[in-house]
Amino acid sequence: VRERAIALDLPDTATLAGVSEAQRAILRAVGEGELLPGEGNALASILEARRRAIETEDLERRIRELEARSDKR
């Protein structure tokens, strides 16, 4: 089965807030019939991977900050 290209304007996903907005846009597009449910699911999976990456980056930054504070003591 050949998949079709999806054209959907999504917000910047550099932040968790942007990822959340993009998820809402996908849900809205599926609800309005602009995207098929499977297409929405595929996009949501990509966004979930992006959310996890942002979360991991944030945790790494926080750990570095804590370690730096601990080293100063």
Side-chain angles (χ1 to χ4, degrees):
V1 175
R2 183 163 157 67
E3 296 182 19
R4 69 181 180 123
I6 299 171
L8 183 65
D9 287 331
L10 295 176
D12 183 10
T13 59
T15 65
L16 290 176
V19 170
S20 181
E21 289 176 32
Q23 289 171 334
R24 279 193 297 274
I26 291 168
L27 181 59
R28 188 172 30 257
V30 170
E32 293 174 357
E34 191 176 333
L35 291 177
L36 296 173
E39 295 168 334
N41 190 45
L43 287 174
S45 294
I46 293 167
L47 285 176
E48 176 59 17
R50 179 66 186 130
R51 184 198 62 78
R52 286 191 312 263
I54 293 169
E55 203 170 67
T56 300
E57 291 169 0
D58 183 54
L59 288 172
E60 288 175 348
R61 179 190 54 78
R62 293 168 70 184
I63 290 169
R64 278 193 308 274
E65 288 174 0
L66 288 171
E67 288 173 341
R69 278 190 228 152
S70 177
D71 290 345
K72 289 180 182 180
R73 291 182 182 174

